[in-house]
Amino acid sequence: KNRTADPIGLKKLSNRGKSVVNPENFEIATLTHETAHMITTQYFTYSEKSRKFWSELRIIRKEYFDELRKHRLNHSPEKFNNIYLGNYASKNMDEFFAEAFTEYELSTNPSIYAKKVGELIKNYYGSN
């Protein structure tokens, strides 16, 4: 339930804790989230490529927070909730990455910021 899109929540700013995943993926959501943490600590070494990846991820995260703030101030709950990755994504960069990755992998309709993070992974670490 913590990962479901709340249609009633479209009338107010969401207080959902985590990113949205399809109901059939609930059982693997935590595993996918924790796998994202493993990816960040094991796969992304301190190389030039990794530094560029994290630099671009920081830009995406800043855009995400700027857009959330704009929609909150403009009282646009539908727009806010369409991009919202959940409260936990606000904790730090690593949790932002893990929540966006989880939504990207486990939702048939990932938000724009989940897609941006997924595309960033593909651009830097996907197969050629």
Side-chain angles (χ1 to χ4, degrees):
K1 181 161 171 88
N2 198 15
R3 289 191 177 275
T4 59
D6 178 10
I8 296 168
L10 293 179
K11 296 178 183 167
K12 61 181 175 63
L13 298 178
S14 181
N15 63 359
R16 180 173 24 90
K18 305 209 174 177
S19 57
V20 174
V21 302
N22 293 358
E24 66 271 16
N25 293 327
F26 286 166
E27 289 184 16
I28 61 171
T30 299
L31 177 63
T32 304
H33 175 95
E34 296 306 324
T35 299
H37 289 309
M38 289 176 56
I39 290 169
T40 60
T41 58
Q42 297 295 318
Y43 193 60
F44 299 145
T45 60
Y46 292 104
S47 65
E48 182 62 26
K49 186 179 193 179
S50 177
R51 281 190 288 282
K52 288 179 181 179
F53 172 88
W54 285 102
S55 177
E56 286 191 42
L57 184 62
R58 277 190 286 283
I59 291 168
I60 292 170
R61 186 173 183 244
K62 182 185 179 320
E63 289 173 4
Y64 168 77
F65 284 118
D66 288 347
E67 193 164 347
L68 284 181
R69 201 170 5 265
K70 177 180 78 175
H71 295 313
R72 183 180 288 131
L73 292 173
N74 292 336
H75 303 290
S76 306
E78 187 168 353
K79 290 178 181 177
F80 179 93
N81 290 326
N82 284 337
I83 62 169
Y84 188 56
L85 292 170
N87 294 336
Y88 205 52
S90 299
K91 184 174 180 182
N92 57 42
M93 178 68 85
D94 205 34
E95 297 303 346
F96 172 79
F97 174 76
E99 286 299 311
F101 177 82
T102 301
E103 185 169 312
Y104 179 76
E105 290 293 323
L106 302 180
S107 174
T108 54
N109 189 25
S111 70
I112 186 172
Y113 289 95
K115 287 178 190 173
K116 284 184 176 196
V117 170
E119 291 302 314
L120 186 66
I121 294 167
K122 282 184 183 179
N123 288 341
Y124 277 88
Y125 300 102
S127 59
N128 295 329

